Amino acid sequence: MRTKLSYFLFFLALIAMSFPSCSTQTKEAKTSSRPNIVFIMTDDHSYQTLSAYDDRYIQTPNLDRIANEGVIFNNSFVSNSICAPSRAVMLTGKHSHINGQIDNFTTFDNTQPNFAKYLQQAGYQTSLIGKWHLRSDPTGFDNWEILIGQGNYYNSTFIENGEKTPSKGYVTDVITDKAMQWLDGRKKDQPFCLLVHHKAAHRIWQPNITMLDSLSEKEYKVPANFFDNYEGRKAAKLNKMSIIKDMDLVYDLKMNDDALPSKYRNAYKNMYNLMNPEQKEIWDAYYTPILEQFKEAGLTDDELAIWKYQRYMNDYLKVIRSLDDNVGRLLDYLDQNNLKENTLVVYTSDQGFYMGEHGWFDKRYMYEQSLRTPLLMRYPEGIKNKGAIEELVQNIDYAPTFLDFAGVDIPEDMQGASLKPLLNNEKMNWREAIYYHYYESPNEHGVKKHYGIRTDRYKLIHFYEDMDEWEFYDLQKDPEEMHNLFHDEQYSSLIKELKSKLEELQKQYKVTTY
């Protein structure tokens, strides 16, 4: 009996050894179910110049690839349309007045929680590469390689985990190279969260020399409201972001001639001098003939305004071409290294941008072109939804979304909501309106402080502090926001209702400054 029993027990032990233990299975299942996260964020990329949204100006096949293989958010917005505040919102999941980064001049409190810290604590490897722009050092990252301030398009210096290091080449290429190098060297037995934050397409839109082909010059249709007179919109008249009046011939448009008027000539020359001789040679071969043609033409008034618009668009869109190419390089890396299926890829911009609408460049206002931002997501293993998502989403939602996918509890003080239910077709009560608040005034571009509410159809804006102006738009009838209907009696009850909802949002988000 003892012999038979011994053989039987030995046989059971062999069977047990051939299978993983329950605890091991649970651990492995939990690890494999947590996606890697690649968060690609560009700077000032307008949704109008991403062809999955709008194909009038450019084709962006690699960005479209994310949308085609995943989802595209058609109503994605920021909460404060300016660089540093937008980045702080994404990190913390909290509005600017809560995380403290209300403008570009404040130093970010890097001791506060952010989604990278929570992921790090949950066993994720974390890395940030590219633009940071928050003055204090990044925290929550095992590795960080950031540009100094805005950085430069050519041969820019990085700070790598506290040490300054030079780079050679075009910054969009360099950031992508660094991202793939980090992926190569990461620990393969841990999930990772990689933030790839590009400088492009921030002003002054210096294209890669590989894009400087005179045959690629195009003429773009001028927006219908390019010569907007801002009737009924007092705050819109006061800014200094006009292509006609404020776009600098030397700094913005690279017409490097000492005889031309320029407010920022020295700043342009400093950036130009970062290029090596070979880069300068190609650069000059492209821009010098354009400069000579411009001087000979003697343009004035409307003709000069339209010429400036065309130069702006050609330079900006060449920068976008490089962005798209490099997004493709990174997607190819993920695909070729068997990382596609279990990696959540997110593409967005820190805010939208004006491509001549209302005669403007830059951002800041709560009008659609700067309020809206691209948002694309791909995660083959973990997203059931495909195609377009129409719900109103905002950059306060990114941090809770990443934590939710990683299986990390979302802190109660985060003000955003996870997008995971929307990505998986789960029925739920979603927000009916978003809150916006811009604080940076005075500033270089003269945009006044304002806050407002946007629903799926209507928008109400209040400009305050040194002015008291309200604007109301019916976006269905007036998508270009040309007609301020705030004083139209037929909308008085609706405006009253929106004001009440606005106050509710301010109470919900604990807003005290307005």
Side-chain angles (χ1 to χ4, degrees), residues 41-44 76-106 108 133-134 348-354 362-373 393-398 415 434-441 443 447-453 464 509 511 513:
M41 184 170 69
T42 50
D43 196 309
D44 295 344
S76 168
F77 306 97
V78 295
S79 59
N80 185 351
S81 183
I82 189 169
C83 295
S86 185
R87 292 161 195 278
V89 166
M90 294 182 197
L91 279 167
T92 63
K94 302 171 186 177
H95 279 280
S96 300
H97 62 282
I98 299 296
N99 66 50
Q101 192 73 37
I102 62 171
D103 54 36
N104 273 344
F105 310 121
T106 306
F108 179 64
H133 201 239
L134 288 171
T348 191
S349 177
D350 55 358
Q351 60 259 326
F353 215 66
Y354 295 97
D362 207 66
K363 55 258 184 176
R364 302 169 192 266
Y365 279 115
M366 197 186 167
Y367 305 128
E368 287 295 280
Q369 287 79 16
S370 51
L371 176 66
R372 286 183 60 185
T373 188
V393 305
Q394 207 164 11
N395 54 355
I396 54 172
D397 300 327
Y398 300 174
Q415 296 179 311
I434 61 153
Y435 178 71
Y436 179 88
H437 203 141
Y438 175 80
Y439 296 88
E440 188 178 291
S441 180
N443 62 77
V447 176
K448 300 297 184 180
K449 292 181 181 180
H450 60 287
Y451 59 85
I453 182 174
Y464 69 100
Y509 293 130
V511 183
T513 305

Side-chain angles (χ1 to χ4, degrees), residues 360-390:
W360 296 335
F361 65 100
D362 207 66
K363 55 258 184 176
R364 302 169 192 266
Y365 279 115
M366 197 186 167
Y367 305 128
E368 287 295 280
Q369 287 79 16
S370 51
L371 176 66
R372 286 183 60 185
T373 188
L375 181 60
L376 315 171
M377 293 189 182
R378 182 188 84 172
Y379 175 20
E381 277 188 5
I383 292 179
K384 296 178 182 178
N385 205 342
K386 297 290 181 183
I389 293 177
E390 301 297 335

